[in-house]
Amino acid sequence: MSTDTADADNELRERITNFLRRNFPQIQMHGGSAAIAHLDREKGEVTVQLGGACSGCGISPMTIQAIKSRMVKEIPEIETVHADTGAEAGADGDLGGTSSGGGMSPSFPGETTDDGDDEGPQAPF
């Protein structure tokens, strides 16, 4: 039975990860990351930790709200979603790029800093 439980947990974890990649590609495109910090399949709860450029991003609250509202609609096993940017707390080890010191500006793929005519990053939505 524990093997079945582990398989079900892994399958749900994979579905959540695919959901995040499919519905929120802008997270990774803009130098951020999203990881499952905690999953309780029996309670239907998941905690998603956003890191990298998401920490300190002004659009992060909107992204978090969208994750919370969409995930419970698309993944029936999930009833409650907790999410934050990791600025207050860290995940359990599978977030890349969250150990940098505070005060750094996020960088985006393709963004250059040596060009004075930079128009800035494109909107994530």
Side-chain angles (χ1 to χ4, degrees), residues 10-88:
N10 288 337
E11 188 267 337
L12 181 57
R13 192 174 281 271
E14 184 175 329
R15 286 175 45 219
I16 292 168
T17 300
N18 289 336
F19 164 84
L20 291 168
R21 285 186 190 136
R22 185 178 67 248
N23 289 288
F24 299 96
Q26 70 274 14
I27 292 172
Q28 191 171 21
M29 288 172 28
H30 292 165
S33 60
I36 300 167
H38 178 73
L39 175 62
D40 188 332
R41 190 173 52 86
E42 290 181 18
K43 289 183 179 180
E45 287 186 1
V46 65
T47 301
V48 176
Q49 201 73 39
L50 301 180
C54 293
S55 296
C57 176
I59 297 175
S60 290
M62 290 181 278
T63 302
I64 289 170
Q65 198 57 33
I67 289 170
K68 288 179 176 184
S69 65
R70 287 187 195 170
M71 190 180 297
V72 295
K73 291 177 184 172
E74 289 191 35
I75 303 176
E77 297 90 338
I78 300 299
E79 297 176 17
T80 307
V81 179
H82 305 283
D84 63 43
T85 60
E88 301 83 29

